[in-house]
């Protein structure tokens, strides 16, 4: 299967560099480019990309707003945010808007390719520095939020345990090894947990877990 890509960045040289590299991959096809959020919405509607590589700081409409509008309807493309900034307001803004991944532009080429394929497969990807900032931010809270009782009650003990591990950034294979179960079992529990909490992917699960106090930095689960 070929993954259709839309590159959104206000710098033409960056778009060109991404396009020239990504088009060397047999399973990737760059179907369009956009210089800002407004153009991204128009291009996405016309070209129907599978994954959008989204910059954050752009004129007219930034990447957070564009991501929110792109991911609102269903079906919608997956959005992988690529930026030189790892400031908290951009991290949280992009994830809350519906981004499935967040990667800094200084990431290696192999990491970029992995991120595109992971996001397209329905998973989420956060760089280690992004996960660290999430933890640091919530560690500063003096009064953690109380988890919503109704949603907490809907989860089985195993699903709650898996939510904690997802929030700490563990992949399905890592969770399977930690719990000594099969990866297929983990995928089943993750899917059930997403459905009960009305989450689309792991990025939303991470934000949900921290925002609602399901997991606290430094806790053992």
């Amino acid at each position: 299967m070929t993954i259709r890509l839309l590159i959104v960045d206000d710098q033409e040289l960056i778009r060109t560099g991404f396009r020239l590299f990504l088009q060397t991959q047999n399973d990737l096809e760059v179907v369009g480019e956009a210089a800002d959020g407004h153009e991204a919405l128009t291009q996405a509607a016309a070209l129907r990309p599978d994954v959008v590589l989204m910059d954050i700081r752009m004129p007219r409409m930034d990447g957070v707003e564009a991501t929110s509008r792109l991911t609102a309807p269903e079906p919608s493309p997956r959005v992988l945010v690529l930026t030189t900034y790892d400031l908290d307001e951009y991290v949280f803004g992009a994830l809350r808007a519906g981004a499935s991944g967040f990667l800094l532009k200084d990431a290696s080429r192999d990491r970029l390719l992995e991120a595109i394929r992971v996001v397209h497969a329905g998973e989420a990807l956060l760089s280690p520095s992004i996960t660290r900032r999430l933890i640091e931010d919530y560690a500063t809270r003096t009064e953690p939020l109380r988890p919503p009782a109704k949603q907490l009650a809907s989860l089985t003990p195993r699903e709650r345990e898996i939510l904690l591990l997802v929030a700490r950034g563990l992949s399905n294979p890592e969770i399977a090894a930690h719990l000594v179960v099969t990866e297929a079992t983990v995928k089943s529990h993750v899917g059930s947990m997403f459905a009960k909490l009305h989450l689309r992917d792991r990025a939303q699960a991470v934000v949900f877990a921290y925002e609602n106090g399901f997991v606290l930095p430094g806790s053992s689960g």
Side-chain angles (χ1 to χ4, degrees), residues 88-208:
D88 291 342
E89 62 265 31
Y90 299 116
V91 175
F92 293 117
L95 292 177
R96 288 194 184 101
S100 296
F102 200 112
L103 199 63
L104 300 183
K105 287 181 180 177
D106 61 2
S108 68
R109 291 186 174 189
D110 287 343
R111 183 65 166 163
L112 173 60
L113 294 176
E114 176 195 15
I116 291 172
R117 290 162 182 152
V118 165
V119 165
H120 178 255
E123 298 290 340
L125 184 142
L126 303 175
S127 70
S129 65
I130 299 304
T131 302
R132 184 169 59 253
R133 282 184 175 271
L134 281 169
I135 294 172
E136 289 172 352
D137 179 84
Y138 283 93
T140 63
R141 291 186 170 180
T142 57
E143 296 183 2
L145 297 176
R146 183 182 298 277
K150 182 177 180 180
Q151 290 175 306
L152 181 60
S154 73
L155 299 179
T156 66
R158 180 63 90 186
E159 289 166 353
R160 194 188 308 183
E161 187 175 14
I162 287 177
L163 175 58
L164 300 181
L165 297 175
V166 168
R168 296 193 182 102
L170 273 67
S171 65
N172 282 354
E174 290 170 335
I175 293 174
H178 180 81
L179 299 178
V180 195
V181 297
T182 67
E183 189 175 345
T185 297
V186 173
K187 288 182 178 179
S188 177
H189 286 307
V190 168
S192 177
M193 181 259 291
F194 283 176
K196 290 179 179 179
L197 300 180
H198 306 290
L199 303 173
R200 190 172 78 165
D201 55 33
R202 300 173 89 88
Q204 290 187 354
V206 170
V207 173
F208 179 90

Side-chain angles (χ1 to χ4, degrees), residues 205-219:
V206 170
V207 173
F208 179 90
Y210 280 99
E211 286 192 329
N212 291 287
F214 276 94
V215 59
L216 299 176
S219 64

Side-chain angles (χ1 to χ4, degrees), residues 1-3 5 18-30 109-110 112-114 116-117:
M1 178 182 295
T2 299
I3 304 173
L5 303 173
F18 277 135
R19 175 170 49 80
L20 291 176
F21 167 62
L22 293 172
Q23 288 186 160
T24 65
Q25 305 299 305
N26 293 331
D27 63 333
L28 304 180
E29 178 186 4
V30 177
R109 291 186 174 189
D110 287 343
L112 173 60
L113 294 176
E114 176 195 15
I116 291 172
R117 290 162 182 152

